[in-house]
Amino acid sequence: MTILTAIGEELHSNKILEVGYDLAEAYDEQLLVLHVIPKEDFNDHKAALKGTPASDSFTISREEQSAAEIAHQAVYESIDEYDPDRIETQGRVGDPTDKILAEVENTDPRYLVIGGKGRSPVGKAIFGSTAQNVLLNASCPVVLTSKQG
């Protein structure tokens, strides 16, 4: 089994990663850190590169590699001491809720660790959120943490 930790755009997701790593150590599991780049962001990046030499090499596969590199950098910046053999990073492009839930189905983690944005219950009910949708639909136990360190 693994501990799946999904992080957002912010590189200051230290609390989420610390909790995920602590769980991985406690259960002697691998930590899989997932970063999802929304499809709209990918399309914006691709449009911004249109007509440049870089546009030909800008693919979903390359953007997923970039997302995995962002996850790796977040681990490096967030966890003081860690065993690199215990951690794997992955990137995906698409709807964050869908990609996180798909990863849950693919890996069957012991726990999924995600962060909340600290909105009020009314704000979440009106606007929805990735965290709320994942909490309601994940097929494994979910640990919700604050994004603040």
Side-chain angles (χ1 to χ4, degrees):
M1 294 191 110
T2 62
I3 305 297
L4 174 60
T5 300
I7 62 169
E9 292 287 321
E10 309 83 14
L11 285 179
H12 63 276
S13 300
N14 58 338
K15 184 67 175 174
I16 301 165
L17 289 165
E18 288 170 5
V19 169
Y21 190 76
D22 287 348
L23 286 168
E25 282 191 311
Y27 288 100
D28 195 27
E29 302 280 7
Q30 286 294 113
L31 175 64
L32 173 58
V33 181
L34 175 68
H35 174 58
V36 179
I37 296 176
K39 181 72 172 189
E40 301 78 35
D41 291 356
F42 169 78
N43 290 336
D44 291 346
H45 296 159
K46 189 162 183 76
L49 292 173
K50 191 172 184 171
T52 69
S55 67
D56 292 339
S57 63
F58 193 80
T59 62
I60 286 180
S61 176
R62 179 63 194 126
E63 190 77 339
E64 287 181 339
Q65 288 175 332
S66 294
E69 291 166 10
I70 289 169
H72 179 78
Q73 185 66 27
V75 168
Y76 176 77
E77 291 183 6
S78 299
I79 304 172
D80 291 331
E81 293 182 27
Y82 63 91
D83 176 2
D85 293 333
R86 184 179 295 279
I87 299 175
E88 177 185 351
T89 60
Q90 291 186 5
R92 298 287 182 263
V93 173
D95 176 74
T97 299
D98 292 345
K99 294 299 181 178
I100 293 167
L101 292 174
E103 199 62 39
V104 166
E105 292 306 312
N106 289 336
T107 61
D108 189 28
R110 181 181 295 262
Y111 290 102
L112 167 63
V113 182
I114 58 174
K117 292 184 178 176
R119 288 190 288 183
S120 71
V122 172
K124 287 182 182 176
I126 294 171
F127 300 109
S129 72
T130 298
Q132 182 180 17
N133 289 330
V134 168
L135 276 167
L136 293 173
N137 295 296
S139 60
C140 67
V142 179
V143 177
L144 180 65
T145 67
S146 167
K147 287 189 178 183
Q148 284 74 40

